[in-house]
DNA sequence: CGCCAGTGCGCC
DNA sequence: AAAGGGCGCACTGGCG
């Protein structure tokens, strides 16, 4: 069964819309959801316009839900599938389209940017002469109908369920937070940088390196300015095309070493330094803002805090609570396995039945595991340099179906067509700019670029679907109080009491298996998900 | 002053 | 060694 949920613009109240069409106003929404008759609590699908607007408040009152249908996320997926990519996807917009009213822009598109301002800027639209509960209910019914008319409604329903579950998980991860020891983080920064500087100053070790750089060049140079660095090298008689670290590494000049050291530390300082901690870490928890489906491929993005780019070095600060542990699991070689399963390539699927897929493929590539890996990555990314052409020729011969699968996706992209993931996420259409370019002198290049994008899209998007499905299942298998606290494309982290370690590890294995069956049915492809329990994230690999 | 593109680099 | 896909974010420096 489903229940439509709306929250009052002010206060803790809201409405519950029942399947028979009646709408009840409740003074305390979280309480009403939490006290829903236990017998069917797990069976309820809570339908709401936007998880980010409704769920945090509910969580804040200590209530969690099992399943939901996020109307805005679903609308985005449906619009893409219907060739209307990019149109506003809020429940209000969907309702307006349904009835021929003027379609309001999405609020996040209007407000955009700043943390915490996402939904505060303007009061809720007055509506279209209909209560919000009726509005959401009408859009929900319409969406069910549209899903039913798609080519693969069953798969798309899985996609919608996974995306909606992802929204719940993202909200919960943001709410509960990832363990982050401020004291460890501070000690690490102090060791590397030399203590927190006064406002407007560089940390001492950073300043020392900057001074070394200036001394080496015999002139003042801002190490944060690529332009100034290039000029400084020029006046030393050296021409560098850029200041990328791998370029500078090859340059013979005394300024290079301190400069590279500076760049590395400066990044830590500005990205994950004290200012970052002030903003994002409270009470030994890092609370990130995830954006479900924020990447066109369906991967998650972040809107602040950089949760998906935590430097390996900083993982020292991620430490389980006393008596608790971190169970960290990542899917090994996820993308080639996804390709094997999707393409139905017998040979590749057999290799993907092994724990080390690349080793299993090595035979086909002259016994070279590295060659097999480059061949697979080139096939999935559209690589053309080095040995790629030669290795791709081997792949074409030995794994023709997998080869054809990515080639077809690339060709579709080059021709300006849309491609779809396994569950039905649709790639964005080519931009107007691309259409101009493609018929001009730079046409071949633009065409190839888009081909590489669509080639990768089908694999990356399906990998994202597998990972989100796994998480959605895992969430239901976790014993209380274990919690998902981190997710990064193909890696999950669960924070749990020590005595739940074994249960959590097997829950992860089960979830990986169930996700594989749900998506691909009876495939020989295996998706190994090795889980390791650690006290500190840095010890996970 | 804010805005924006370019650069560079962290993660998968 | 540094190519091929996807991101976010800090910083510089030019512009209005």
């Amino acid at each position: 069964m489903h229940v439509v949920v709306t929250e009052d613009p002010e206060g803790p109240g809201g409405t519950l819309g029942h399947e028979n069409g009646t709408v009840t106003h409740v003074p305390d929404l979280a309480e009403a959801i939490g006290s829903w008759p236990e017998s069917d609590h797990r069976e309820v699908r809570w339908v709401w316009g936007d998880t980010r607007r409704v769920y945090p408040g509910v969580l804040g009152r200590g209530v969690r839900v099992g399943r939901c249908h996020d109307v805005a996320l679903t609308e985005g997926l449906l619009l893409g599938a219907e060739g209307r990519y990019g149109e506003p996807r809020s429940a209000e917009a969907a309702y307006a389209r349904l009835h021929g009213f003027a379609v309001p822009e999405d609020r996040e598109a209007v407000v955009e940017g700043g943390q915490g301002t996402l939904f505060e800027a303007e009061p809720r639209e007055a509506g279209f002469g209909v209560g919000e509960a009726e509005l959401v209910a009408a859009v929900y019914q319409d969406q069910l109908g549209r899903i039913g008319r798609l080519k693969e409604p069953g798969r798309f329903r899985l996609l919608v369920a996974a995306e909606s579950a992802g929204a719940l998980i993202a909200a919960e991860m943001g709410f509960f937070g990832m363990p982050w020891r401020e004291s460890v983080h501070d000690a690490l920064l102090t060791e590397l940088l030399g203590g927190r500087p006064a406002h407007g100053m560089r940390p001492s070790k950073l300043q020392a390196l900057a001074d070394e750089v200036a001394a080496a060049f015999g002139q003042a140079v801002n190490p944060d300015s690529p332009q100034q660095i290039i000029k400084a090298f020029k006046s030393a008689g050296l021409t560098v095309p850029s200041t990328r670290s791998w370029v500078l590494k090859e340059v013979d000049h005394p300024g290079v070493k301190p400069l590279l050291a500076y760049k590395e530390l400066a990044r830590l300082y500005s990205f994950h330094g004290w200012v970052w901690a002030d903003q994002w870490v409270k009470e030994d928890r890092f609370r990130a803002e995830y954006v479900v489906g924020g990447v066109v491929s369906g991967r998650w993005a972040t809107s602040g805090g950089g949760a998906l780019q935590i430097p390996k070095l900083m993982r020292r600060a991620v430490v389980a609570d006393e008596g608790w542990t971190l169970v960290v699991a990542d899917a090994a070689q996820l993308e080639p396995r996804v390709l094997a399963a999707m393409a139905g390539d017998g040979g590749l699927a057999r290799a993907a039945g092994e724990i080390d897929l690349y080793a299993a493929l090595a035979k086909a590539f002259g016994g070279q595991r590295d060659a097999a890996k480059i061949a697979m990555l080139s096939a999935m990314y559209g690589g053309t340099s080095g040995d790629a052409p030669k290795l791709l020729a081997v792949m074409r011969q030995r794994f023709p179906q997998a080869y054809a699968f990515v080639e077809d996706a690339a060709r579709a992209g080059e021709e300006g067509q849309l491609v779809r993931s396994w569950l039905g996420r649709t790639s964005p259409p080519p931009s107007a700019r691309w259409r101009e370019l493609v018929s001009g002198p730079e046409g071949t290049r633009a065409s190839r670029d888009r081909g590489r994008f669509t080639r990768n899209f089908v694999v990356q998007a399906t990998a994202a679907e597998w990972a989100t499905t796994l998480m959605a299942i895992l969430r239901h298998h976790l014993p209380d109080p274990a919690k998902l606290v981190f997710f990064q494309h193909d890696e999950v982290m669960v924070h749990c009491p020590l005595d739940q370690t074994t249960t959590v590890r097997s829950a992860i294995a089960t979830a990986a298996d169930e996700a594989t069956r749900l998506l691909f049915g009876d495939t020989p492809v295996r998706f190994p998900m090795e889980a390791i329990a650690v006290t500190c994230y840095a010890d996970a690999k």
Side-chain angles (χ1 to χ4, degrees):
Chain A
M1 71 173 299
H2 73 269
V3 179
V4 174
V5 179
T6 71
E7 91 283 14
D8 291 346
E10 306 266 330
T15 67
L16 299 180
H18 308 274
E19 280 180 354
N20 65 11
T22 61
V23 176
T24 323
H25 186 269
V26 294
D28 185 333
L29 193 56
E31 197 275 331
I33 291 174
S35 62
W36 195 266
E38 189 59 32
S39 56
D40 43 11
H41 196 185
R42 297 175 66 93
E43 309 300 321
V44 177
R45 189 180 300 280
W46 303 94
V47 178
W48 48 52
D50 190 329
T51 306
R52 293 176 299 176
R53 234 167 43 205
V54 182
Y55 197 39
V58 174
L59 278 171
R61 300 287 308 283
V63 174
R64 295 169 77 185
V65 305
R67 301 193 299 170
C68 81
H69 174 101
D70 186 302
V71 166
L73 287 175
T74 303
E75 190 66 19
L77 293 169
L78 273 168
L79 287 169
E82 294 163 347
R84 307 176 67 167
Y85 192 92
E87 290 188 31
R89 51 173 218 182
S90 69
E92 289 82 2
Y95 187 84
R97 268 191 299 270
L98 205 51
H99 290 86
F101 301 142
V103 176
E105 289 298 315
D106 284 344
R107 266 186 293 271
E108 58 259 47
V110 176
V111 180
E112 189 128 45
Q115 176 210 4
T117 61
L118 215 53
F119 302 108
E120 292 168 6
E122 43 189 309
R124 189 72 51 76
E125 301 272 339
F128 307 94
V130 63
E132 199 190 348
E134 287 85 354
L135 182 151
V136 173
V139 174
Y140 175 61
Q141 290 303 330
D142 175 61
Q143 290 183 339
L144 296 184
R146 286 153 71 198
I147 292 169
R149 292 190 287 278
L150 296 174
K151 252 202 203 119
E152 298 264 17
R155 288 191 190 179
F156 202 87
R157 282 186 200 107
L158 273 181
L159 178 57
V160 167
E163 192 93 331
S164 297
L168 294 180
I169 293 164
E172 289 171 1
M173 291 201 298
F175 179 77
F176 295 114
M178 174 165 68
W180 190 283
R181 291 281 172 92
E182 291 183 74
S183 58
V184 175
H185 183 221
D186 179 65
L188 185 61
L189 291 174
T190 300
E191 178 195 327
L192 293 166
L193 300 165
R196 185 168 190 167
H199 185 73
M201 305 282 284
R202 284 195 180 105
S204 59
K205 295 203 180 182
L206 218 42
Q207 186 58 50
L209 286 166
D211 293 344
E212 260 189 74
V213 172
F217 285 105
Q219 58 175 292
V221 49
N222 178 359
D224 288 320
S225 167
Q227 288 184 28
Q228 290 188 30
I229 294 168
I230 287 175
K231 262 192 215 149
F233 274 113
K234 181 153 268 168
S235 62
L238 292 162
T239 305
V240 291
S242 77
T243 65
R244 292 184 170 87
S245 54
W246 67 83
V247 171
L248 295 185
K249 236 169 250 167
E250 304 305 313
V251 178
D252 183 23
H253 185 278
V256 167
K257 199 172 158 225
L259 184 55
L260 290 175
Y262 177 91
K263 281 157 78 84
E264 198 177 332
L265 289 180
R267 196 187 149 83
L268 287 176
Y269 173 58
S270 64
F271 264 66
H272 289 95
W274 291 279
V275 174
W276 173 87
D278 288 347
Q279 187 178 359
W280 295 102
V281 182
K282 298 265 157 41
E283 289 150 356
D284 285 337
R285 289 290 186 276
F286 167 35
R287 292 185 171 79
E289 290 176 10
Y290 294 99
V291 185
V292 173
V295 180
V296 291
S297 66
R299 278 184 173 184
W300 290 16
T302 51
S303 66
L308 301 178
Q309 295 121 263
I310 299 169
K312 292 225 160 95
L313 193 68
M314 286 292 169
R315 297 179 181 185
R316 280 268 154 247
V318 182
V319 180
D321 289 354
E322 194 63 35
W324 287 50
T325 190
L326 302 168
V327 181
V328 181
D330 73 318
Q333 306 156 343
L334 177 58
E335 294 192 348
R337 290 174 199 279
V338 158
L339 173 58
M342 275 197 294
D345 188 297
L348 189 58
R350 262 193 302 285
E354 303 295 326
I355 292 287
D356 187 345
L357 179 149
Y358 295 132
L361 283 181
K363 257 196 299 276
F365 293 90
Q368 304 288 311
R369 185 184 181 278
D370 274 5
K373 185 172 175 176
I374 290 170
M376 285 305 296
L377 294 179
S378 299
M380 293 186 298
Y381 291 157
T384 54
S385 66
D387 291 338
K390 188 186 75 188
L391 297 171
L392 284 172
V394 176
M395 181 161 170
R396 176 184 204 161
Q397 196 198 2
R398 300 292 297 266
F399 308 105
Q401 284 170 283
Y403 183 86
F405 190 90
V406 286
E407 282 298 314
D408 287 351
R411 201 173 316 118
E414 288 175 6
E415 290 169 2
Q417 296 169 24
L418 304 179
V419 295
R420 296 186 207 285
S421 69
W422 188 248
L423 293 186
R425 188 185 302 270
T426 306
S427 68
S431 64
R433 170 97 186 109
W434 184 87
R435 292 197 179 283
E436 269 173 46
L437 271 179
V438 85
S439 51
E442 293 289 298
T444 309
R445 185 191 165 80
S447 174
R448 294 252 165 85
D449 283 351
R450 188 160 190 281
R452 276 197 302 279
F453 167 65
T454 51
R455 169 195 293 272
N456 184 252
F457 179 94
V458 293
V459 179
Q460 188 184 112
T462 305
E465 284 161 1
W466 183 89
T468 314
T469 303
L470 163 112
M471 258 201 316
I473 297 168
L474 175 58
R475 178 172 177 269
H476 284 284
H477 287 342
L478 286 180
D480 199 52
K483 280 178 189 69
L484 274 158
V485 292
F486 186 57
F487 170 52
Q488 186 173 230
H489 310 311
D490 61 358
E491 175 181 1
V492 299
M493 182 191 292
V494 176
H495 190 216
C496 68
L498 278 164
D499 63 6
Q500 290 184 343
T501 306
T502 308
T503 312
V504 168
R505 291 170 65 124
S506 73
I508 290 171
T510 305
D513 196 48
E514 287 182 22
T516 303
R517 297 298 151 236
L518 259 182
L519 261 66
F520 302 118
D522 183 25
T523 174
V525 177
R526 285 171 68 190
F527 289 80
M529 191 87 184
E530 280 297 307
I532 175 171
V534 290
T535 300
C536 174
Y537 186 24
D539 298 329
K541 273 201 276 212

